[in-house]
Amino acid sequence: MSILASGTTDAAPLALSEAPPQSAPRLWRRLLRHNSAVAGMILLGFLVLASLIGPLLFRSDPTAQDLSLAFLPRSAAHPLGTDDLGRDELVRLFFGARYTLSLALAAVALGLVVGVPLGAVSGYFGGWVDLLVQRVVDVMLAFPSILLAISLVAALGVGLRNVIVSVAIVAMPGFIRLVRASALSIREAPYVEAARALGVPSWRILLRHVVPNSLGPLIVQASLQLGGAILVAAGLGFLGLGVQQPTPEWGAMLGFSHTYIFSDPGLLTYPGLCICGAVLAFNLLGDGLRDALDPRMK
Amino acid sequence: MLSYIARRVLIAIPTLFGVATVIFALVHLQGGDPARVIAGANATPEDVDRIRHQLGLDQPLLVQYLIFMGNLLRGNLGTSVRSGQPVFNEIASRAPYTVELAVISTILAVAIGVFLGVVAATNHDNPIDLAISSFSVFGVSMPVYWLGLLLIILFAVNLHVLPAAGANQPTGFILPSLTLAFFSIGFIARQTRSAMLEVLDLDFVRTARAKGADRPTVLVKHALRNALLPIITVIGLQFGTLLGGAILTETIYAWPGLGRLLVDSIFARDFPVVQGTVFVFAAALIFVNLFTDLLYAYVDPRIRYD
């Protein structure tokens, strides 16, 4: 998709040019000078805050139905009105932020946990392992990402766990490619050769040299993939193939409001705005991180 | 050149083979009895047996796999559980609608995206660049399913100028094509901008300017021509998103293409049609990637074919 693939291509040259390791404070300073990074961090901070504090402010159940309260307009009691089943829209959006953010984090984390070791082993050892892993990656990349997610959910069944697994599988090829490129670039480097000559075991070289070498591009890629994961997961929810009702997930909320497009267009404005804002936050942050980590940028 | 083409085509074949294997596995991934899942909750045991036999699910797995692959090679994608029609016919009748959307949006996206990217690059770091760059990052962050709904509200509900859904009216393609093109416009504009910025810094552009070539000539003949290579790659890269976006866009606009066929078939548990449609989508993406690779090699004389 690809927004997911875009990160791969852009980050690849970074992995190859051996970036000097950057100290965290220096990275911070560069990020804070970067307009889009700051915008992304503010947006993201706002979302995290909303997901943590929002549900505490309104102690109402996001799934409790009361048909006598359906389709209420905006009011003091219901700042964004109520939906078709009389549930407070704002409360559902707050809880939705929890689902959306934690779902994307879990999926990308799973993608990293599986993708990084596969990429490192594939690039470092080469040979038939590399060949096998790369052919599998080719096949994964042959599916448009939302299609791969849809197919997996269609086969595995809907629900939170399967959505996380599907989105993680979609995010994986990008991580594998990236770490592999980095491993290939330093496999013959003198300090790695020296480590080998000293008898350092392979797993330790992978852990101490190969993975840290790809850390910069990995952070960029992970940020962009978080945006992509939100898009794909909400897309599944929108189609009715993701997290199921009555869970207040943004994509599913948008999908159900589709029916009321003529009578109550507000119901599809808010969740859409939230999804777009969350994706925008990670994309802006990813752009900022890429520039801040790029040794060519002054 | 010919041997280069042959090798690229040969590399695509194992990928296609892998895709087919994944698609075969999809039906068996769910654990449980696929025949029962396809038949649905209210099916009698006789129905389940009939479907199991009809789809060859009573054969050993390896035999099923070989039959599946053999049929695929002969272009036989099976029979729809829902309609009883060959899957191939169902796909053939829907594909033109998706191709129409994909072609129109790609043309739109390339024209608008390249234009915006060039304008942004030539106005580097001034308000025009900022406006275009903001629009581009917004474009790649916009969920296609939300944009589609917003365009319906604006053009169909409020302004009454375009139909909200369907392919029956001659103007029906406009909103779905715009929706689908939006991401690609942003994506192509971003990449064109950075490709142009890199080229504009190079010596030969400065030389062209120094010898007095006028601005449009330098921009188009010298800079854009050389920035074209990364742009071609990007057009191939965005095609996957475009195909994925088509699935969502067609659902929103009730557009009778392959994406809608896929989603309807998933809900109807019509697995042969799901498998066939997924295969066609993946094959289209493999083909377009192959095509852009070859185009890239053809356009760039620096790439050696051996």
Side-chain angles (χ1 to χ4, degrees):
Chain A
M1 143 176 183
S2 128
I3 187 160
L4 304 174
S6 76
T8 330
T9 44
D10 290 333
L14 248 180
L16 299 172
S17 62
E18 280 179 42
Q22 296 212 20
S23 65
R26 183 148 172 266
L27 182 63
W28 255 116
R29 278 200 305 278
R30 298 187 76 165
L31 268 183
L32 289 176
R33 278 205 311 267
H34 197 285
N35 288 335
S36 68
V38 172
M41 283 189 286
I42 291 174
L43 208 50
L44 188 60
F46 181 73
L47 280 170
V48 172
L49 218 61
S51 72
L52 292 178
I53 299 177
L56 303 176
L57 291 179
F58 298 85
R59 293 197 162 276
S60 107
D61 183 352
T63 58
Q65 305 177 4
D66 184 348
L67 290 176
S68 65
L69 297 174
F71 297 118
L72 287 180
R74 275 177 286 222
S75 66
H78 303 286
L80 295 179
T82 57
D83 69 2
D84 54 328
L85 297 173
R87 299 170 298 198
D88 186 281
E89 184 74 0
L90 184 64
V91 171
R92 285 179 65 76
L93 287 176
F94 279 140
F95 278 93
R98 286 191 177 179
Y99 277 101
T100 304
L101 291 178
S102 46
L103 196 157
L105 272 175
V108 170
L110 185 60
L112 278 168
V113 164
V114 182
V116 169
L118 270 180
V121 167
S122 172
Y124 184 74
F125 292 107
W128 65 267
V129 182
D130 188 34
L131 201 68
L132 184 73
V133 173
Q134 291 319 306
R135 289 295 79 79
V136 172
V137 169
D138 278 346
V139 171
M140 289 163 91
L141 289 175
F143 294 91
S145 48
I146 182 89
L147 177 69
L148 184 57
I150 290 175
S151 314
L152 287 167
V153 168
L156 296 169
V158 295
L160 188 63
R161 196 198 60 194
N162 288 340
V163 171
I164 292 176
V165 171
S166 305
V167 177
I169 292 176
V170 170
M172 225 173 272
F175 295 132
I176 298 177
R177 280 270 156 96
L178 202 151
V179 179
R180 173 179 179 266
S182 157
L184 273 178
S185 74
I186 67 156
R187 188 166 67 174
E188 312 297 340
Y191 68 95
V192 173
E193 214 171 322
R196 258 199 306 270
L198 284 171
V200 178
S202 298
W203 65 265
R204 219 181 137 82
I205 295 180
L206 289 176
L207 212 62
R208 291 289 299 274
H209 300 299
V210 174
V211 174
N213 183 60
S214 56
L215 210 55
L218 259 184
I219 293 172
V220 176
Q221 177 78 350
S223 177
L224 296 172
Q225 292 277 18
L226 280 167
I230 291 173
L231 270 184
V232 171
L236 289 175
F238 178 79
L239 290 172
L241 292 168
V243 181
Q244 296 293 296
Q245 284 279 54
T247 310
E249 193 267 330
W250 291 340
M253 287 169 73
L254 198 57
F256 278 95
S257 65
H258 191 173
T259 322
Y260 308 107
I261 185 166
F262 298 107
S263 56
D264 199 344
L267 284 183
L268 55 86
T269 309
Y270 310 125
L273 204 60
C274 290
I275 301 169
C276 190
V279 178
L280 196 61
F282 285 114
N283 280 346
L284 288 170
L285 186 61
D287 282 353
L289 283 166
R290 172 161 55 221
D291 289 346
L293 287 162
D294 189 341
R296 289 171 303 179
M297 299 277 287
K298 291 280 144 29
Chain B
M1 183 74 188
L2 221 62
S3 76
Y4 176 76
I5 295 177
R7 209 177 50 243
R8 295 298 324 197
V9 173
L10 280 180
I11 292 177
I13 291 174
T15 310
L16 214 52
F17 191 78
V19 165
T21 307
V22 169
I23 288 168
F24 171 80
L26 282 180
V27 172
H28 301 276
L29 261 181
Q30 54 213 338
D33 179 1
R36 185 163 295 284
V37 175
I38 292 167
N42 302 323
T44 61
E46 289 76 35
D47 286 340
V48 177
D49 282 339
R50 184 177 50 77
I51 285 175
R52 183 178 296 123
H53 183 70
Q54 190 188 332
L55 297 178
L57 293 167
D58 44 3
Q59 309 267 4
L61 207 57
L62 186 65
V63 176
Q64 285 185 47
Y65 178 68
L66 293 176
I67 291 175
F68 177 81
M69 291 305 232
N71 283 339
L72 204 59
L73 277 178
R74 275 175 267 134
N76 176 2
L77 296 169
T79 309
S80 164
V81 176
R82 208 164 26 143
S83 68
Q85 297 285 318
V87 174
F88 185 87
N89 295 3
E90 296 228 353
I91 289 177
S93 70
R94 302 292 200 103
Y97 290 98
T98 302
V99 172
E100 181 189 344
L101 281 193
V103 169
I104 295 174
S105 343
T106 304
I107 294 172
L108 267 179
V110 172
I112 302 176
V114 170
F115 174 76
L116 288 180
V118 171
V119 172
T122 48
N123 290 286
H124 190 200
D125 275 346
N126 74 22
I128 297 177
D129 181 21
L130 185 69
I132 293 178
S133 297
S134 311
F135 173 78
S136 311
V137 71
F138 189 65
V140 297
S141 306
M142 187 80 181
V144 57
Y145 32 92
W146 189 43
L147 178 68
L149 296 175
L150 290 182
L151 290 182
I152 292 179
I153 293 180
L154 181 62
F155 289 102
V157 180
N158 290 339
L159 299 175
H160 295 288
V161 286
L162 289 169
N168 300 324
Q169 282 149 287
T171 51
F173 74 92
I174 297 179
L175 287 185
S177 309
L178 271 179
T179 306
L180 202 49
F182 201 70
F183 170 88
S184 303
I185 291 174
F187 192 49
I188 293 174
R190 272 160 76 96
Q191 305 294 327
T192 305
R193 176 179 173 274
S194 58
M196 280 296 278
L197 281 179
E198 250 168 56
V199 173
L200 284 173
D201 260 358
L202 296 180
D203 287 343
F204 70 89
V205 173
R206 198 178 333 130
T207 310
R209 274 197 190 126
K211 71 175 192 194
D214 61 287
R215 209 174 140 76
T217 311
V218 174
L219 269 185
V220 176
K221 285 183 87 172
H222 296 271
L224 186 57
R225 269 185 78 161
N226 282 284
L228 218 53
L229 287 170
I231 298 173
I232 290 176
T233 320
V234 165
I235 294 169
L237 275 178
Q238 58 83 39
F239 192 75
T241 317
L242 198 87
L243 281 182
I247 299 169
L248 294 153
T249 307
E250 290 178 2
T251 306
I252 298 165
Y253 290 101
W255 187 259
L258 286 178
R260 193 168 170 78
L261 178 66
L262 171 68
V263 174
D264 288 347
S265 305
I266 288 175
F267 283 114
R269 290 180 294 255
D270 192 346
F271 268 90
V273 180
V274 173
Q275 287 179 309
T277 326
V278 173
F279 183 74
V280 169
F281 270 116
L285 186 55
I286 292 174
F287 177 78
V288 167
N289 282 335
L290 181 67
F291 180 75
T292 41
D293 268 3
L294 294 179
L295 190 65
Y296 194 93
Y298 176 75
V299 175
D300 190 350
R302 285 168 302 188
I303 291 186
R304 296 176 54 221
Y305 306 124
D306 43 47

